[in-house]
Amino acid sequence: MLWSGWGDPALARELPEQVRALLRDFLGVRAPDVPAVGLESVRLPPVALSEPVLGALAGVVGSAYVLTSHEARVRHTRGKSTPDLLRMRAGDGSAAPDAVVLPGSHEEVAELLRVCSAGRVAVIPFGGGTSVVGGLTAPGPGFTGVIALDLGRLDRLLSVDPESLVASFEPGVRAPEAERLLAAHGLTLGHFPQSFEYATLGGFAAARSSGQASAGYGRFDDMVVGLTVATPTGILDLGRAPKSAAGPDLRQLVLGSEGAFGVITSLRLRVRRAPEERRYEGWRFGTFAEGTAAMRALAQEGPLPTVLRLSDETETMIGLAKPDTIGSGGSGCLLIAGYESARASGWGSVAARQAGAAAVLSRMGGEPLGAEPGKAWEHGRFSAPYLRDSLLGAGATVETLETAGFWANLPRLYDAVRLALAGALGSPLVMCHVSHVYETGASLYFTVVVAQEGDPVAQWERAKEAANAAIVTAGGTITHHHGVGRDHRDAYAAEVGPVGVSILQAVKARLDPAGILNPGTLVPPTA
């Protein structure tokens, strides 16, 4: 992946002229005065790890898998949030790990944690590097050094149980490879987040990821039936049955823990029969309120499409639901619905489910637009991060944030976040879509664009703080699927309250007494 942006550098895109005109005329965006630096010009601190410690790490995984080169360290510095990228483009590699270590087995992970715990070496688990919440930032002082624990060598499909529809994987398997391996068995995970092309299965579990087809397949945490986790104090092997009454489900303690409690070394995942047919289509609603009411009807009454997304008026006008044709939107609010079906799935045929959903959408005031908008969304479903990079290069601060709430509270949450962003940024372009739906509520995914100030990192941090406060005050969750990281940690503490914080701190102290695992992420520090 591109070290200072998203994805494959060959797929970087030029902004259409209509987008450049919008940025210039309506937002006052101007090209940055200083161009982005090259990889070789990124400023890194000296390697802090001593030769004996580096030797001990090499003794576990082999010297070929302990990397201290400039390029390896740069490529494992930070994640892919806008502040992360702005700092990297400015040549700020101050958060770089001292070394990148690539274990090849569960046993090697466990031994590395023992070595690092004894030597007070901070460990940042690294999957696809796609965190957008500051989840891959090296800690400050207090450690003898920092390693990025790259799990890329743990990339195997371990087993497939076609009778139970369960497959076991190592955590470093990237999502496209997982789909390829499962397809050989006629199976699929059905998990397609925007990070799909680069993220790993372990990362999905660690951040409680949710994919674009969550209405049909569920969130990733719904798919996890078992986990093996290495911690500095021992091994957790969780998940003997689909459901259990044997006390609290400790799998839920690991899911969403972002490497702060342990390192996932294998996952047992629920899979589905691969679909034989997929259809996507578009609908138009006059207002965002009308569209969300229709989504609620589908979520509560059925039939629920596999994919269900709704852009608000601004996002529809800009055309962000179709990133490959940005700038060519229309009026009202665009809803994308997708349908999948496999023989013996129990979901019914695509045609039947599509017709049933169409009856609900029409009854709720929707106007059918046919297959073209759905095909355009499908074609560009993973390309929005490339557009973000182009906007950054043009001199715009652009970032996303997301939350979720109950249906009755969704309008309040929507207004609160938009007002907070406007108050912090002046006159930004704020777009939103509903990306995931449930019987009881839905998520809201915001995209913000504004002209860069002299310090664009501070500019976004100001906006993020205001949006976080608005979400907490309005009764939403601080994150629906991006995770907590560092960016949401304080607001997460407000969400769970002091008793919740003390529970997290107690778990951290028990599993990671030296505090080496992803320090500063997720768990608020003790007073």
Side-chain angles (χ1 to χ4, degrees), residues 28-56:
V29 171
R30 297 292 181 268
D33 294 331
V34 180
V37 305
L39 185 149
E40 68 284 350
S41 298
V42 176
R43 303 177 300 279
L44 300 181
V47 173
L49 291 172
S50 67
E51 286 301 323
V53 171
L54 289 171

Side-chain angles (χ1 to χ4, degrees), residues 170-221:
E170 291 182 318
V173 180
R174 295 187 186 273
E177 178 66 3
E179 287 297 324
R180 187 189 70 80
L181 291 168
L182 289 172
H185 299 271
L187 301 170
T188 182
L189 271 172
H191 190 70
F192 303 102
Q194 199 166 75
S195 61
F196 170 78
E197 295 168 306
Y198 296 95
T200 62
L201 301 185
F204 290 153
R208 285 192 185 273
S209 173
S210 192
Q212 295 167 345
S214 66
Y217 290 94
R219 295 162 52 94
F220 196 79
D221 46 355

Side-chain angles (χ1 to χ4, degrees), residues 100-118:
V100 179
V101 182
L102 295 93
S105 68
H106 164 84
E107 291 75 19
E108 289 184 0
V109 172
E111 181 61 14
L112 285 170
L113 295 186
R114 188 195 66 78
V115 169
C116 290
S117 188

Side-chain angles (χ1 to χ4, degrees), residues 14-300:
E14 287 293 323
L15 290 177
E17 180 53 39
Q18 63 266 37
V19 177
R20 292 183 180 275
L22 175 69
L23 294 172
R24 182 176 58 249
D25 297 341
F26 291 95
L27 297 177
V29 171
R30 297 292 181 268
D33 294 331
V34 180
V37 305
L39 185 149
E40 68 284 350
S41 298
V42 176
R43 303 177 300 279
L44 300 181
V47 173
L49 291 172
S50 67
E51 286 301 323
V53 171
L54 289 171
L57 297 174
V60 177
V61 300
S63 58
Y65 298 112
V66 178
L67 311 178
T68 58
S69 68
H70 182 89
E71 180 171 351
R73 294 175 68 200
V74 168
R75 291 191 179 278
H76 290 78
T77 301
R78 303 191 175 96
K80 297 302 180 184
S81 71
T82 287
D84 287 339
L85 298 187
L86 288 169
R87 290 185 174 103
M88 296 306 292
R89 289 171 180 233
D92 176 5
S94 58
D98 295 298
V100 179
V101 182
L102 295 93
S105 68
H106 164 84
E107 291 75 19
E108 289 184 0
V109 172
E111 181 61 14
L112 285 170
L113 295 186
R114 188 195 66 78
V115 169
C116 290
S117 188
R120 285 202 57 75
V121 177
V123 176
I124 302 177
F126 192 99
T130 61
S131 170
V132 293
V133 291
L136 299 175
T137 301
F143 299 92
T144 60
V146 182
I147 67 167
L149 190 70
D150 190 321
L151 299 168
R153 290 178 64 208
L154 298 176
D155 61 353
R156 295 179 300 157
L157 170 64
L158 299 173
S159 66
V160 175
D161 176 354
E163 184 175 1
S164 304
L165 287 180
V166 171
S168 296
F169 287 92
E170 291 182 318
V173 180
R174 295 187 186 273
E177 178 66 3
E179 287 297 324
R180 187 189 70 80
L181 291 168
L182 289 172
H185 299 271
L187 301 170
T188 182
L189 271 172
H191 190 70
F192 303 102
Q194 199 166 75
S195 61
F196 170 78
E197 295 168 306
Y198 296 95
T200 62
L201 301 185
F204 290 153
R208 285 192 185 273
S209 173
S210 192
Q212 295 167 345
S214 66
Y217 290 94
R219 295 162 52 94
F220 196 79
D221 46 355
D222 298 326
M223 303 175 187
V224 178
V225 298
L227 293 154
T228 303
V229 185
T231 82
T233 57
I235 308 305
L236 280 169
D237 192 6
L238 305 170
R240 294 184 171 214
K243 298 291 181 182
S244 171
D249 188 348
L250 294 182
R251 289 173 293 191
Q252 299 302 320
L253 190 64
V254 176
L255 295 169
S257 63
E258 301 181 39
F261 298 154
V263 178
I264 297 168
T265 57
S266 68
L267 308 95
R268 293 180 291 284
L269 303 175
R270 180 209 73 201
V271 294
R272 293 264 175 79
R273 307 293 180 195
E276 297 169 334
E277 184 180 8
R278 288 188 174 97
R279 294 185 193 176
Y280 299 98
E281 64 182 9
W283 288 75
R284 188 180 308 283
F285 285 85
T287 67
F288 196 49
E290 292 172 0
T292 54
M295 297 180 92
R296 179 169 61 85
L298 286 174
Q300 294 176 347

Side-chain angles (χ1 to χ4, degrees), residues 333-499:
C333 295
L334 176 64
L335 181 146
I336 299 294
Y339 307 88
E340 299 183 6
S341 183
R343 190 173 291 118
S345 69
W347 290 0
S349 71
V350 163
R353 294 172 63 235
Q354 186 176 19
V360 176
L361 293 171
S362 295
R363 187 189 82 217
M364 300 297 293
E367 172 194 351
L369 301 178
E372 189 280 327
K375 290 179 180 178
W377 172 82
E378 180 188 19
H379 180 70
R381 64 192 299 187
F382 304 128
S383 62
Y386 291 101
L387 175 63
R388 188 268 303 264
D389 289 356
S390 299
L391 290 167
L392 287 176
T397 293
V398 54
E399 185 58 300
T400 62
L401 60 93
E402 37 77 48
T403 180
F406 297 111
W407 288 114
N409 195 44
L410 216 60
R412 179 189 177 206
L413 189 56
Y414 174 71
D415 290 340
V417 174
R418 294 200 306 160
L419 286 171
L421 291 169
L425 295 173
S427 300
L429 180 66
V430 181
M431 299 167 276
C432 182
H433 64 265
V434 175
S435 54
H436 307 275
V437 299
Y438 309 94
E439 289 186 6
T440 53
S443 69
L444 295 173
Y445 191 105
F446 295 88
T447 301
V448 189
V449 185
V450 68
Q452 285 182 13
E453 295 179 353
D455 185 347
V457 173
Q459 177 189 25
W460 178 249
E461 288 177 343
R462 183 177 72 238
K464 183 70 170 178
E465 183 178 1
N468 284 354
I471 288 170
V472 172
T473 301
T477 181
I478 196 61
T479 175
H480 174 263
H481 57 270
H482 281 170
V484 174
R486 290 170 175 263
D487 296 354
H488 294 149
R489 190 187 66 192
D490 294 344
Y492 174 54
E495 181 174 327
V496 301
V499 173

Side-chain angles (χ1 to χ4, degrees), residues 495-523:
E495 181 174 327
V496 301
V499 173
V501 168
S502 68
I503 292 171
L504 294 170
Q505 292 169 338
V507 172
K508 176 77 169 173
R510 178 63 184 86
L511 295 178
D512 180 23
I516 62 164
L517 285 170
N518 218 354
T521 296
L522 181 71
V523 183

